[in-house]
Amino acid sequence: MTVAARAPAGDIPPLHWQGGPVDCAACDYAGLRELPGEQGCEPGHACMQDAYARRIDRFFRWHPQLSDAQLAHPYFEVRAIAARHASVFRLAALAGDPDETVRLQIALRLPLAQLARLAGDPHREVRIRVAQRVEPAVLATMRNDPDYGVRELVARRLPLAILPTMASDPDRAVRMRVAQRLEMPALLAMAGDPEPEVRRIVAERLPAPLLSRMAADADWRVRWEVAQRADAAVLSLLQDDEDTEVRRAARERANTFAGVAHG
């Protein structure tokens, strides 16, 4: 029985995932058509044969108990959506699925003990999801991932004891994340980073007595950060800085010190 069901107003018409109309007679779950509402199914609304992911998803939300049986379905959308509802004990078999959409779902639900097998996945989005969940021991193996977005996530979550190993990452954004978390004395080593955005973060976090070594930084934004926190000795170096904003910041802070002293 070929179905020409009416889709909801404004929605796309039913379409079989292989093309052409939906054929309920060829469906393993044709018997569901006889059941009312969410007990059954509805072409154009909740249908596993449809090419439209939203309808497939609705079908499995109505019938999550059928998910395990469809993890080997030839249509990747069916496998991916079934994986959202399937038993976690069945998911490991999909870690090598040929479609990254399926592996993305697996990366969200696999038990942490089994997640390491996806740490080297060929697709960056899968590795990003792994980096968001994986245990520190596995996370440390992802420090040299080829994608900077993955490494940036690693830098956000990596234990502080290991984080200094990422202070020389080739990407500026990753080093910025490292500088936001790093503790002394490793933080001080980043005061000479080649990128001013990284050095500015260091100047925001470095202990005030150590800021003197950044008072002559080549970038005015770094010197401005120094002026926000420096002691009187360093401020005396910055009150005649070549940059107007740095001079203003240094003089305002110096005036604060003077006011406290007079008070």
Side-chain angles (χ1 to χ4, degrees), residues 65-204:
Q65 74 280 4
L66 301 178
S67 300
D68 284 5
Q70 298 302 328
L71 293 177
H73 194 280
Y75 186 34
F76 77 92
E77 288 281 21
V78 171
R79 298 196 307 276
I81 295 169
R84 299 176 188 171
H85 305 277
S87 166
V88 293
F89 300 107
R90 298 287 305 275
L91 298 181
L94 292 177
D97 193 278
D99 195 278
E100 68 271 12
T101 307
V102 179
R103 301 195 306 276
L104 281 168
Q105 295 300 323
I106 302 307
L108 287 174
R109 297 195 61 220
L110 265 182
L112 294 182
Q114 300 177 24
L115 199 53
R117 67 183 66 192
L118 289 173
D121 192 274
H123 199 278
R124 72 180 296 270
E125 294 297 330
V126 176
R127 300 196 307 277
I128 283 175
R129 294 195 183 188
V130 172
Q132 291 171 331
R133 297 186 59 222
V134 79
E135 297 283 6
V138 178
L139 189 65
T141 68
M142 303 179 75
R143 288 172 292 175
N144 297 314
D145 190 276
D147 189 273
Y148 84 92
V150 176
R151 299 196 309 276
E152 188 176 356
L153 268 173
V154 173
R156 289 182 180 184
R157 298 190 59 232
L158 200 66
L160 288 174
I162 311 173
L163 190 58
T165 61
M166 298 190 73
S168 298
D169 189 276
D171 190 89
R172 175 186 62 188
V174 176
R175 297 198 308 277
M176 289 173 67
R177 292 295 181 192
V178 174
Q180 288 169 351
R181 296 186 59 219
L182 211 57
E183 295 181 344
M184 289 291 294
L187 178 63
L188 181 59
M190 296 192 76
D193 191 277
E195 292 290 340
E197 291 90 343
V198 178
R199 300 196 306 274
R200 184 183 61 78
I201 294 171
V202 176
E204 287 179 335

Side-chain angles (χ1 to χ4, degrees), residues 196 199-200 203 214-228 238 241-249:
R199 300 196 306 274
R200 184 183 61 78
M214 302 191 77
D217 193 276
D219 193 279
W220 73 270
R221 293 167 294 180
V222 177
R223 301 195 306 276
W224 186 88
E225 291 292 350
V226 172
Q228 303 301 306
L238 295 174
D241 191 273
E242 63 183 32
D243 185 86
T244 303
E245 293 300 323
V246 176
R247 291 197 306 272
R248 179 182 295 115

